[in-house]
Amino acid sequence: MHARVAAVGGNWKMNLDLAACRTLAGSIASAARAETFGCEITLFPPYPYLPAVESQLRGTSVRLGAQDLCERPNGAMTGEVSAAMLVDVGVTTVIVGHSERRHIRGEHDALVAAKLDAALSAGLQAVLCVGERLEDREAGRTLDVVLAQIDAATASITAGRFSGITLAYEPVWAIGTGLTASPEDAQPVHAALRAWTRDRFGALAAEALRIEYGGSVKASLSADLIAQPDIDGFLVGGASLSADEFLRIVRSVEQSSLSTAP
Ligand code: PGA
């Protein structure tokens, strides 16, 4: 049963141009005006297109997200973008610790923790990503890796601020590869993340926590994943670049929320 409001994010990564961002956001905004979604939707365009997407989404329930932020508030940090700047242009949510930042850009646990702190301090919601590489999974280290990642990222976070976090379990071997984790692969990891949260922040925090799955999510597989008790939504990359496919994923989540409501 999903007592939590499910959440679906569209992580557009470094794709599209201004016109395509406007068209894609406009299609999702139109759908949001025409129907009431049973889940929270957030779009994460590239930085330069945030204002254009914000103007498309204005007046709808669809939220504006950013893919990353700087851990520092201001100053000599060429090329970086602060949490306050994101808030200024209407961003409500920011992705922290995405595996492409960790593994391509070399972001380590301490930096992820500092970014999480900066996001929450500015009043942003954070989507904190964790996930194991293929070699970790094959060596049976999946839970060790993801629990160490959440432990490190939240080391200085108080229970009060933990409510600003949505987790995203994104196995690195599934991201952008077309290899979606099966419900049997993903559910135990989600359950372990919730159990860890119960131990660290208490039962209420654990029950309220949303844990999205990410990694080659597509509409044909989303209903089976969302039916799992600890999967509360999705962080969608490639499939979020098509309005039709993304909205099919959103609707599969919504139907699950409705059919399992108490
Ligand atoms: P993907 O990306 O859906 O293209 O695998 C997911 C993500 O990186 O958030």
Side-chain angles (χ1 to χ4, degrees):
M1 181 191 312
H2 288 277
R4 304 164 280 275
V5 176
V8 180
N11 177 8
W12 296 354
K13 307 192 180 183
M14 198 171 71
N15 291 301
L16 309 176
D17 58 15
L18 177 59
C21 282
R22 281 202 179 110
T23 304
L24 183 53
S27 301
I28 292 160
S30 300
R33 285 192 183 92
E35 55 192 292
T36 307
F37 295 127
C39 59
E40 184 182 287
I41 302 176
T42 308
L43 302 182
F44 299 88
Y47 282 145
Y49 306 137
L50 285 167
V53 170
E54 192 276 335
S55 69
Q56 295 290 327
L57 301 182
R58 204 172 298 158
T60 75
S61 59
V62 183
R63 300 162 69 102
L64 184 67
Q67 299 173 16
D68 188 29
L69 81 167
C70 183
E71 74 283 11
R72 301 215 196 147
N74 52 35
M77 293 293 289
T78 301
E80 294 288 339
V81 174
S82 72
M85 292 172 183
L86 296 177
V87 171
D88 218 9
V89 296
V91 167
T92 63
T93 309
V94 63
I95 296 172
V96 176
H98 191 279
S99 76
E100 285 150 17
R101 306 289 320 169
R102 291 180 190 263
H103 299 300
I104 302 174
R105 283 291 184 242
E107 288 192 4
H108 46 79
D109 282 339
L111 181 56
V112 172
K115 289 187 173 195
L116 185 63
D117 187 52
L120 297 175
S121 299
L124 290 165
Q125 301 279 311
V127 178
L128 172 64
C129 301
V130 297
E132 83 286 5
R133 292 167 305 171
L134 185 58
E135 56 265 41
D136 301 320
R137 177 161 281 263
E138 286 174 348
R141 289 196 306 262
T142 297
L143 295 185
D144 294 343
V145 168
V146 299
L147 297 179
Q149 286 172 333
I150 184 177
D151 201 41
T154 61
S156 65
I157 303 292
T158 58
R161 290 170 78 209
F162 187 77
S163 62
I165 298 174
T166 294
L167 281 185
Y169 168 55
E170 300 208 301
V172 179
W173 49 270
I175 295 178
T177 58
L179 292 174
T180 316
S182 66
E184 296 72 29
D185 284 335
Q187 165 58 26
V189 184
H190 285 237
L193 288 164
R194 199 176 308 285
W196 180 93
T197 303
R198 195 172 296 117
D199 288 348
R200 171 87 160 76
F201 293 106
L204 284 179
E207 278 313 301
L209 175 68
R210 291 182 297 193
I211 310 176
E212 299 174 348
Y213 167 78
S216 298
V217 173
K218 27 190 168 311
S220 56
L221 301 173
S222 54
D224 285 347
L225 284 160
I226 198 69
Q228 300 301 307
D230 291 295
I231 299 182
D232 307 310
F234 300 111
L235 186 55
V236 187
S240 71
L241 299 175
S242 154
D244 283 353
E245 180 75 4
F246 184 68
L247 289 168
R248 282 171 59 208
I249 293 169
V250 165
R251 291 184 188 114
S252 74
V253 168
E254 181 174 16
Q255 272 156 18
S256 157
S257 311
L258 293 175
S259 62
T260 57

